[in-house]
């Protein structure tokens, strides 16, 4: 009984142990399931990995050589690639060590060239081994397919845009940094010239020094030498043009060149912008000789190794972007303004400025890249010559047209007379005669005609003859002979005094001048005789010497004659107080003659017969003046009025020709006290 219980207990323990083992085994199997699945998934890869072991002996014996031939160049490429990234640490900032930077960049370029030359070879050999593996069934299709995909990706990279990025873009970054250094050197060393419109060194013939230090130029050249091999010349040229044109523009802005943008509608005539035209010549000379000359030299220094076309094209774009064309546009605007004689002189001023800079223009803007500047300059010169010559040849017609207008009511010198005489002397002066002659020679050559200097002289003499004819015609238009004589006296004196010792006077000759001097005296005498010379006769002594009619009769005669004198004097003075004798010497001389004609006679008359009326209750009515008061009244006679502002001789444009009568000849002569 006891033994049976022990057996049961042993069986129970055994059964429990088996159950626990079964549970443990179940847990182990449960954990082994995922591992078995993983092993199952890896089996194909393992199968491929061990396939060569299962390949035929002759295939296994030859595959090693093929693999070695493909792996050796591939390993060399990888070694160079590692070296490239080693150079990255050596690429310091080019600002601190430009030569060192360029040296590292050169080594980087050589490494990339090696990669470029050998990558294709390595890929080709790798392709050969893949093809061998496929042909000899050394690897299965899945493995071969993966290798082919990898090779296709390498081939696309090798022949596509990424070929230049075999270094992962390191070289491009390095070159960009070098391009930025090019810009930095230009920007930090391009400083506008300090100047002002009040202190132009126009008299200096020297050329401004190079606007960049020599050391900077050498650095720019070194950078260009590097970047040009990378196809970045256009980038460098664009940077250079941008920086240098901006610098020149800033230099010009200090000259206050806003007037260059003026349009024809913004001014009435050339005289109103005369100051701008004078500034234009100085500013143009300064810009050409000191700014653009320096830029021309600098372009040559920096881009000389790139070729003539490159640096000249660069300079042409700098000149255009810096605002040089605005100078030529201003000249064109002046040529489009209304025609008048002053405009002719201003056109000649502009032509003269361009002529003086002709050699500079040919040097700076003579190449094909500056074709636009050349064309605009030629067009401007053509406009200047044609415009100036057209006005010159039409002057005589305009002077003759003034003959139809009435003379000045104040008997003064017509404005056209003073203007034309002054104008002719200006034309004959050293400032205008050579340049006008040059313009006329060119104009005649365009018409295939020969120019002779005598043509110019004769035209000016004809102008003076036309003025003389006008004076004669105008003098006949006065109803009062006295005003006609005073008018002729004024104008004869003007022609004599203000043409004597002048170039125009020299052409006219001494005999011509003497005729006008004598004409002054002649018409002065006629003027006095026809006006103030008639007054002394009113103070007749007839019937007063012997008092034949008694004292009362004498008093009445004196009263009558004094009243007649006073009335005639007042009327004549009132009439002539608006008349003008502009020349001070002639005015004083004329007053003196009038005083000597009237005052002595009046003084003597009053001394002898004044007492007859001085005690009369109405004495002030007859003894109205004293000799001194009459003399003093003449001191205010013939004084010129203040001159009005404006052009002296205008002519409005009408269908391309001067209008027929737009001369303001009622203004007094500019020759004043």
């Amino acid at each position: 009984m006891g033994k049976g219980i022990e057996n049961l207990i042993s069986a129970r323990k055994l059964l429990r142990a088996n159950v626990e083992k079964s549970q443990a085994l179940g847990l182990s199997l449960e954990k082994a399931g995922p591992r078995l699945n993983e092993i199952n998934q890896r089996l194909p890869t393992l199968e491929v990995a061990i396939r060569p072991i299962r390949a035929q002996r002759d295939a296994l014996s030859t595959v090693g050589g093929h693999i070695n031939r493909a792996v050796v160049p591939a390993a060399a490429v990888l070694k160079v690639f590692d070296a490239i990234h080693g150079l990255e640490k050596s690429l310091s900032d080019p600002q601190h060590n430009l030569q060192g930077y360029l040296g590292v960049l050169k080594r980087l370029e050589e490494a990339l060239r090696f990669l470029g030359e050998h990558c294709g070879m390595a890929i080709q050999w790798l392709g050969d081994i893949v093809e061998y593996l496929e042909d000899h069934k050394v690897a299965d299709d899945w493995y071969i397919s993966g290798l082919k995909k990898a090779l296709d990706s390498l081939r696309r990279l090798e022949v596509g845009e990424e070929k230049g990025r075999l270094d992962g873009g390191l070289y491009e970054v390095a070159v960009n940094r070098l391009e930025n250094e090019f810009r930095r050197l230009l920007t930090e060393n391009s400083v506008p010239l300090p100047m002002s419109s009040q202190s132009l060194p126009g008299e200096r013939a020297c050329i401004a020094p190079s606007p960049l230090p020599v050391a900077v130029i050498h650095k720019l050249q070194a950078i260009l030498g590097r970047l040009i091999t990378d196809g970045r010349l256009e980038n460098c040229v664009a940077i250079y043009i941008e920086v240098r044109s901006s610098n020149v523009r800033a230099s010009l802005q200090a000259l206050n060149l806003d007037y260059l943008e003026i349009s024809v509608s913004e001014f009435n005539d050339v005289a109103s912008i005369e100051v701008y035209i004078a500034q234009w010549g100085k500013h143009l000379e300064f810009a050409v000789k000191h700014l653009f000359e320096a830029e021309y030299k600098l372009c040559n220094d920096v881009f000389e190794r790139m070729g003539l076309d490159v640096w000249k094209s660069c300079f042409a774009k700098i000149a255009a972007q810096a605002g040089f064309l605005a100078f030529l546009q201003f000249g064109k605007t002046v040529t489009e303004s209304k025609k008048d004689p002053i405009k002719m002189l201003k056109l000649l001023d502009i032509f003269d400025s361009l002529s003086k800079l002709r050699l500079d223009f040919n040097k700076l803007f003579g190449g094909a890249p500056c074709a636009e500047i050349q064309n605009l300059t030629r067009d401007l010169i053509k406009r200047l010559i044609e415009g100036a010559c057209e006005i010159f040849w039409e002057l005589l017609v305009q002077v003759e047209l003034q003959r139809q207008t009435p003379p000045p009511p104040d008997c003064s010198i017509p404005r056209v007379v003073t203007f034309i005489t002054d104008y002719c002397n200006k034309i004959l002066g050293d400032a205008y005669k050579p340049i006008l002659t040059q313009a006329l020679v060119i104009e005649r050559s365009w018409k295939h005609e020969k120019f002779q200097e005598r043509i110019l002289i004769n035209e000016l003499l004809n102008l003076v003859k036309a003025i003389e004819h006008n004076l004669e015609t105008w003098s006949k238009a006065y109803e009062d002979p006295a005003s006609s004589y005073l008018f002729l006296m004024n104008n004869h004196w003007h022609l004599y005094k203000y043409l004597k010792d002048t170039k125009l006077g020299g052409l006219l000759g001494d005999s011509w001048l003497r005729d006008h001097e004598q004409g002054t005296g002649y018409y002065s005498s006629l003027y006095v005789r026809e006006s103030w010379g008639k007054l002394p006769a009113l103070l007749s002594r007839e019937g007063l010497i012997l008092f034949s009619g008694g004292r009362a009769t004498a008093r009445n005669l004196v009263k009558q004659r004094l009243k007649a004198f006073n009335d005639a004097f007042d009327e004549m003075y009132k009439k002539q107080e608006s008349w003008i004798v502009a020349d001070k010497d002639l005015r004083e001389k004329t007053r003196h003659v009038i005083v000597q004609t009237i005052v002595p006679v009046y003084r003597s008359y009053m001394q002898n017969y004044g007492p007859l009326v001085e005690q009369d209750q109405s004495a002030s009515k007859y003894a109205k003046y004293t000799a001194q008061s009459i003399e003093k009244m003449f001191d205010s006679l013939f004084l010129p009025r203040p001159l009005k502002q404006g052009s002296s001789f205008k002519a409005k444009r009408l269908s391309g020709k001067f209008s027929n009568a737009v001369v303001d000849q009622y203004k007094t002569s500019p020759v004043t006290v």
Side-chain angles (χ1 to χ4, degrees):
M1 182 70 179
K3 188 174 181 179
I5 293 172
E6 290 177 357
N7 289 336
L8 287 172
I9 293 171
S10 298
R12 188 185 67 177
K13 290 180 179 180
L14 180 63
L15 183 60
R16 179 181 293 173
N18 289 334
V19 170
E20 289 176 353
K21 287 180 180 180
S22 296
Q23 290 176 346
L25 180 61
L27 291 173
S28 297
L29 289 173
E30 187 176 336
K31 293 179 180 179
R35 292 183 63 191
L36 289 173
N37 290 333
E38 182 180 352
I39 291 171
N40 187 50
Q41 292 176 357
R42 292 176 61 188
L43 281 175
T45 305
L46 293 173
E47 182 182 3
V48 172
I50 65 173
R51 173 68 63 83
I53 298 175
R54 293 185 295 143
Q56 297 180 3
R57 180 180 296 273
D58 57 345
L60 289 174
S61 63
T62 58
V63 73
H66 287 284
I67 292 175
N68 287 337
R69 283 194 298 272
V71 169
V72 169
V77 168
L78 290 175
K79 186 176 180 180
V80 172
F81 185 78
D82 291 338
I84 287 174
H85 283 278
L87 291 175
E88 184 175 4
K89 299 178 181 179
S90 303
L91 285 171
S92 59
D93 190 342
Q95 179 178 351
H96 300 133
N97 184 6
L98 179 60
Q99 291 304 321
Y101 190 90
L102 292 173
V104 174
L105 201 59
K106 183 177 181 181
R107 290 163 57 194
L108 181 59
E109 180 193 27
E110 292 172 349
L112 285 174
R113 186 182 301 116
F114 178 87
L115 286 180
E117 292 173 353
H118 292 82
C119 274
M121 184 185 303
I123 292 171
Q124 179 62 43
W125 285 10
L126 288 172
D128 290 344
I129 189 60
V130 170
E131 184 178 345
Y132 180 86
L133 294 175
E134 183 180 16
D135 292 343
H136 293 79
K137 308 297 182 181
V138 177
D140 65 5
D141 294 341
W142 183 85
Y143 186 80
I144 296 297
S145 175
L147 289 177
K148 287 183 176 180
K149 288 180 180 179
L151 283 174
D152 288 341
S153 297
L154 286 175
R155 288 190 181 99
R156 285 195 298 271
L157 290 174
E158 198 271 334
V159 300
E161 295 180 358
E162 296 296 323
K163 182 177 181 179
R165 300 177 60 86
L166 294 172
D167 59 345
L170 175 61
Y171 186 79
E172 183 177 358
V173 171
V175 172
N176 287 342
R177 191 181 300 171
L178 192 60
E179 192 175 289
N180 292 336
E181 175 63 8
F182 185 84
R183 178 185 290 275
R184 186 196 68 80
L185 284 171
L186 278 173
T187 303
E188 293 186 2
N189 292 279
S190 296
V191 181
L193 291 182
M195 56 189 168
S196 68
S197 56
Q198 287 75 28
S199 57
L200 280 178
E203 293 77 14
R204 295 192 306 170
C206 64
I207 301 301
S210 176
L212 290 182
V214 175
V216 173
I217 293 176
H218 289 164
K219 288 183 178 181
L220 293 173
Q221 290 174 333
I223 294 175
L224 278 171
R226 174 70 265 169
L227 293 179
I228 193 174
T229 61
D230 299 301
R232 298 210 178 193
L233 177 60
E234 290 186 6
N235 290 8
C236 294
V237 169
I239 292 171
Y240 186 90
I241 292 171
E242 175 191 344
V243 175
R244 293 305 303 176
S245 62
S246 175
N247 186 69
V248 176
R249 208 162 42 242
S251 298
L252 290 174
Q253 284 175 354
L255 300 177
N256 297 323
L257 299 179
D258 292 343
Y259 69 87
L260 294 180
E261 306 298 330
I262 195 171
S263 64
V264 177
S265 61
E266 294 180 70
F267 59 94
N268 295 323
D269 50 44
V270 170
S272 62
I273 59 167
E274 191 170 352
V275 63
Y276 293 149
I277 296 173
Q279 289 178 344
W280 179 88
K282 295 178 181 178
H283 290 161
L284 177 64
E285 180 180 1
F286 183 81
V288 170
K289 288 185 174 292
H290 296 275
L291 290 179
F292 292 106
E293 169 73 20
E295 290 301 321
Y296 181 86
K297 182 179 182 301
L298 185 61
C299 281
N300 181 33
D301 291 342
V302 174
F303 294 100
E304 182 179 13
R305 298 173 186 173
M306 277 57 287
L308 189 67
D309 292 341
V310 172
W311 72 262
K312 284 208 168 186
S313 175
C314 182
F315 169 74
K317 292 176 181 177
I318 289 174
Q321 294 183 20
F324 184 78
L325 298 180
F327 283 98
L328 302 178
Q329 180 58 46
F330 176 81
K332 181 181 177 182
T333 299
V334 175
T335 66
E336 294 172 345
S337 61
K338 298 175 182 177
K339 286 196 294 184
D340 63 59
I342 294 297
K343 177 182 175 180
M344 186 192 88
L345 300 181
K346 298 304 106 182
L347 294 181
L348 292 176
D349 286 339
I350 296 175
F351 179 55
D352 187 37
S353 296
L354 292 173
S355 296
K356 290 176 180 176
L357 295 172
R358 182 174 60 85
L359 295 179
D360 300 277
F361 267 64
N362 290 341
K363 174 185 175 182
L364 300 182
F365 310 118
C370 293
E372 182 180 10
I373 293 178
Q374 295 169 25
N375 293 334
L376 290 175
T377 303
R378 279 193 292 266
D379 178 67
L380 175 56
I381 290 175
K382 185 174 185 291
R383 287 169 174 268
L384 293 170
I385 292 175
E386 290 179 343
C389 292
E390 182 180 9
I391 294 173
F392 178 74
W393 296 121
E394 290 181 0
L395 278 175
L396 180 60
V397 175
Q398 290 306 306
V399 172
E400 292 173 344
L401 287 174
Q402 308 320 309
R403 206 170 293 159
Q404 304 169 9
T405 61
D410 57 10
C411 305
S412 63
I413 302 167
R415 190 67 169 172
V416 65
V417 175
T418 60
F419 179 82
I420 289 297
T421 52
D422 291 344
Y423 194 74
C424 289
N425 271 318
K426 279 187 178 180
I427 291 176
L428 290 170
D430 295 336
Y432 286 109
K433 184 180 178 183
I435 196 68
L436 175 58
T437 300
Q438 182 183 356
L440 292 172
V441 168
I442 296 173
E443 186 228 14
R444 284 298 178 96
S445 69
W446 289 343
K447 298 178 179 179
H448 305 289
E449 299 176 3
K450 188 176 181 180
F451 175 82
Q452 296 179 349
E453 186 176 0
R454 193 64 200 176
I455 296 176
L456 171 61
I457 302 302
N458 288 341
E459 193 69 16
L460 297 180
L461 294 178
N462 288 336
L463 285 174
V464 177
K465 290 179 182 178
I467 288 294
E468 290 181 297
H469 193 177
N470 286 9
L471 293 176
E472 181 181 351
T473 301
W474 285 327
S475 68
K476 296 176 181 178
Y478 290 101
E479 296 180 359
D480 178 15
S483 56
S484 175
Y485 296 144
L486 185 69
F487 170 78
L488 289 170
M489 178 196 76
N490 266 328
N491 285 276
H492 276 284
W493 179 251
H494 174 80
L495 293 176
Y496 165 71
K497 182 175 181 178
Y498 295 99
L499 292 184
K500 185 179 68 171
D501 299 326
T502 66
K503 295 195 174 186
L504 181 58
L507 291 176
L508 293 166
D510 292 339
S511 176
W512 186 91
L513 293 170
R514 281 195 302 270
D515 288 344
H516 284 283
E517 181 184 23
Q518 294 170 1
T520 302
Y522 173 72
Y523 288 111
S524 174
S525 299
L526 290 179
Y527 159 71
V528 173
R529 188 184 69 187
E530 288 294 327
S531 57
W532 302 103
K534 295 180 178 181
L535 297 187
L538 299 177
L539 300 177
S540 173
R541 297 170 183 258
E542 184 179 351
L544 301 177
I545 298 177
L546 300 176
F547 297 104
S548 56
R551 189 174 184 85
T553 302
R555 182 183 296 110
N556 289 334
L557 286 174
V558 170
K559 287 181 178 181
Q560 292 174 7
R561 291 169 183 174
L562 284 175
K563 185 178 184 305
F565 176 86
N566 292 338
D567 291 344
F569 181 88
D570 290 344
E571 180 183 358
M572 194 167 296
Y573 190 89
K574 183 178 180 181
K575 180 179 181 181
Q576 297 191 20
E577 65 180 350
S578 62
W579 292 4
I580 292 174
V581 178
D583 182 76
K584 181 180 179 181
D585 294 336
L586 182 61
R587 183 167 62 248
E588 292 179 351
K589 183 178 179 181
T590 304
R591 287 172 181 167
H592 179 72
V593 172
I594 296 172
V595 168
Q596 291 302 311
T597 300
I598 295 176
V599 172
V601 175
Y602 185 78
R603 180 184 294 113
S604 174
Y605 194 84
M606 292 302 293
Q607 287 174 351
N608 292 324
Y609 307 111
L612 291 174
V613 297
E614 286 173 355
Q615 296 178 358
D616 195 283
Q617 291 181 355
S618 58
S620 61
K621 181 178 178 181
Y622 303 104
K624 187 175 180 179
Y625 301 105
T626 64
Q628 291 77 11
S629 65
I630 289 178
E631 189 169 355
K632 190 172 183 180
M633 288 177 69
F634 284 119
D635 288 341
S636 60
L637 202 62
F638 305 133
L639 290 175
R641 297 189 304 274
L643 288 178
K644 296 181 180 178
Q645 298 293 326
S647 177
S648 57
F649 180 35
K650 299 181 181 178
K652 294 183 178 178
R653 188 164 52 185
L654 183 61
S655 300
K657 299 294 183 180
F658 285 141
S659 62
N660 289 338
V662 196
V663 175
D664 181 2
Q665 65 173 28
Y666 297 115
K667 299 176 184 176
T668 56
S669 167
V671 184
T672 58
V673 180

